[in-house]
Amino acid sequence: MEQQLLREDALLRGHFRLSSGLHSDTYVQCARFLRWPELAAPAAAELARQIKAAGLAPDLVVGPAMGGVVMGYELARQLGVPGIFTERDENGQMSLRRGFTIEPGQQIIIAEDVVTTGKSTNEVARLLTELGGKVLAVASLIDRTSGNAALNFPNFALLPVTAATYAPDDCPLCRAGVPVVKPGSRPEKAFS
């Protein structure tokens, strides 16, 4: 899978500002990979296989917008269950909109493209739990935490990616004068 990500310019090396505000030497742009159904379908099929092999039987897949929408849809299709997504409201909080609901006791898989710190995954999990759902696991293409995300449920990932991260005021890439790039979907104002 790593070679496919590299071919699609979905796995980048350089100096990047992440959505968290941290700097990193590695950036994963899964949208470039997921744009190809012939790549997305087998990746989601492998995650579905791992989920089933673990004895998990979800009722629903929830993909946080934006990165988890395509992954969530394809994983839901592979598992034969509905797929919905969360998105940020006007206050920046993850929420269910568009008439999506969670039924009490519903067994849920959270689908992500990349788990970077686990912060947004945990935010979605809290929302789903508050609405009466039960989060069984998160499934992602990439795990940037090397298995160290602070999650209270299993983390299925197809590719662990080890990447250095730095506080902006202690970044060796900044000190070396390497220009920082802000890829991704969140605008610059998210960092102020």
Side-chain angles (χ1 to χ4, degrees), residues 134-151:
K134 180 178 184 336
V135 176
L136 299 176
V138 62
S140 64
L141 290 176
I142 308 294
D143 177 6
R144 281 184 50 119
T145 74
S146 300
N148 294 319
L151 303 172

Side-chain angles (χ1 to χ4, degrees), residues 2 12 22 26 28-29 33 40 49 56 59 62 68 89 92 98-99 104 109 125 144 157 175 179 182 188:
E2 185 171 354
L12 306 171
L22 296 173
T26 303
V28 183
Q29 181 58 277
F33 176 87
R49 186 197 66 72
L56 301 178
D59 303 311
V62 177
D89 64 17
R98 304 173 195 271
I109 298 288
R144 281 184 50 119
R175 286 194 298 273
K182 169 52 185 102
E188 283 291 328

